[in-house]
Amino acid sequence: MYIKLTERQQLIVVISLTFLIISIFLQVDEYLANKEPYTISYESVNIRDMTEPHISTKISKTGQEEIYKELGDVAEVKMESLNLSATDTTNSGKPSRIWYLPTQIGSITTYPNMGHVAYDITSWRGTAETIYPVAEGTVSGMYTDSYGALIVTVLHNVNGKKYTSQYVHLSRYANGLYVGKHVSINDPLGQMGSTGWSTGTHLHIAVLDCALFDPKDPNCYDLNAWYRYDKKRLSENFYGLGVLMYVPHSWNSR
Ligand SMILES: [Zn+2]
């Protein structure tokens, strides 16, 4: 049977099919995203107590060597996974989630070491990967560094203690983002990118226990101070995110 459609009807069919295809595509994308595990190995890096280092087998041999070379003498390396607390028990004794992952999907390619005081996270979604705050807070900086990297910083107050998270190499800022804006963990900060001194699309994320750009904070009143303090804290085994990160098994947990 042949049904002749008017031009108007044809248009409606085409539009409907387009919407159907887009919705299927979005579903598949969502499905794939759900399937993709966060190949994270925060359990790998001994955070709190370097006298008893733990390494995950997930990190490449070279990666491990680099980390420990930078951290100085390590008497013994235990090849076991550490149940790095996903929660903060330092203040209240009661577990509470502190840091969330800054992306929905990703894998860590670089861990903190004295030459690199941050984690690098890549995503197969590239610049389509949205960057979120690791905790709720207030946007304290939106700036470009001397290499041209787009950067956002967020100030957090966790149990009265100030922390700053720094998100580097973004391809663009989220619409409507401004310094002073309050952000929850579900408010986009921007998109993953490769701006500045970067060899590929990734997020460089650092968390430090100071308030960047706060003139009253002697440790972090400017970027040079931040950098110096970052190195100092790393030498004291403070790993920012690694210390108190809540590690979900998949991005669903975010
Ligand atoms: Zn980096």
Side-chain angles (χ1 to χ4, degrees):
M1 192 175 73
Y2 177 74
I3 305 170
K4 181 140 176 45
L5 299 177
T6 65
E7 238 171 62
R8 193 190 154 90
Q9 285 168 326
Q10 284 174 6
L11 191 67
I12 289 170
V13 169
V14 167
I15 289 172
S16 312
L17 279 176
T18 309
F19 272 107
L20 185 68
I21 288 164
I22 289 172
S23 96
I24 288 171
F25 174 78
L26 289 176
Q27 301 267 348
V28 168
D29 191 47
E30 192 90 330
Y31 176 78
L32 287 176
N34 277 291
K35 287 285 149 197
E36 187 75 10
Y38 213 108
T39 50
I40 209 158
S41 30
Y42 282 104
E43 72 272 22
S44 57
V45 186
N46 173 27
I47 306 298
R48 285 174 194 274
D49 182 7
M50 287 310 294
T51 59
E52 254 197 287
H54 296 254
I55 297 187
S56 155
T57 49
K58 285 182 203 163
I59 317 180
S60 68
K61 187 96 182 20
T62 21
Q64 290 168 6
E65 280 167 3
E66 255 165 46
I67 289 168
Y68 285 93
K69 190 172 64 201
E70 295 291 346
L71 291 172
D73 288 340
V74 174
E76 188 189 354
V77 171
K78 290 181 184 170
M79 295 300 288
E80 64 182 69
S81 65
L82 155 78
N83 47 353
L84 171 62
S85 68
T87 53
D88 174 27
T89 54
T90 50
N91 286 310
S92 58
K94 258 206 300 185
S96 62
R97 290 179 183 186
I98 301 296
W99 308 125
Y100 287 74
L101 294 168
T103 59
Q104 293 182 322
I105 298 171
S107 51
I108 298 179
T109 57
T110 313
Y111 286 83
N113 58 61
M114 292 312 282
H116 180 260
V117 282
Y119 290 84
D120 284 343
I121 300 176
T122 59
S123 161
W124 57 265
R125 292 203 282 214
T127 55
E129 190 69 45
T130 303
I131 309 302
Y132 298 96
V134 291
E136 72 156 345
T138 306
V139 176
S140 58
M142 288 172 72
Y143 60 96
T144 307
D145 71 8
S146 52
Y147 299 99
L150 251 59
I151 302 170
V152 175
T153 61
V154 178
L155 179 66
H156 311 281
N157 188 326
V158 179
N159 301 325
K161 200 163 168 40
K162 283 178 180 168
Y163 295 87
T164 300
S165 56
Q166 187 193 37
Y167 311 78
V168 183
H169 305 304
L170 306 188
S171 54
R172 67 174 188 86
Y173 297 124
N175 290 332
L177 201 72
Y178 58 90
V179 174
K181 183 178 184 178
H182 183 87
V183 283
S184 80
I185 59 161
N186 295 315
D187 290 326
L189 298 176
Q191 299 302 122
M192 193 177 268
S194 188
T195 53
W197 189 17
S198 165
T199 53
T201 303
H202 75 285
L203 172 70
H204 169 110
I205 167 109
V207 172
L208 204 51
D209 53 345
C210 64
L212 181 60
F213 300 134
D214 181 346
K216 290 191 298 264
D217 189 325
N219 294 319
C220 292
Y221 54 86
D222 70 10
L223 283 167
N224 288 326
W226 158 276
Y227 190 67
R228 279 195 303 271
Y229 187 57
D230 221 348
K231 292 221 153 201
K232 176 172 168 285
R233 291 301 276 135
L234 193 65
S235 72
E236 294 164 353
N237 301 332
F238 178 86
Y239 280 77
L241 267 188
V243 179
L244 302 170
M245 171 72 109
Y246 168 64
V247 184
H249 294 296
S250 79
W251 70 274
N252 276 331
S253 316
R254 197 175 193 289

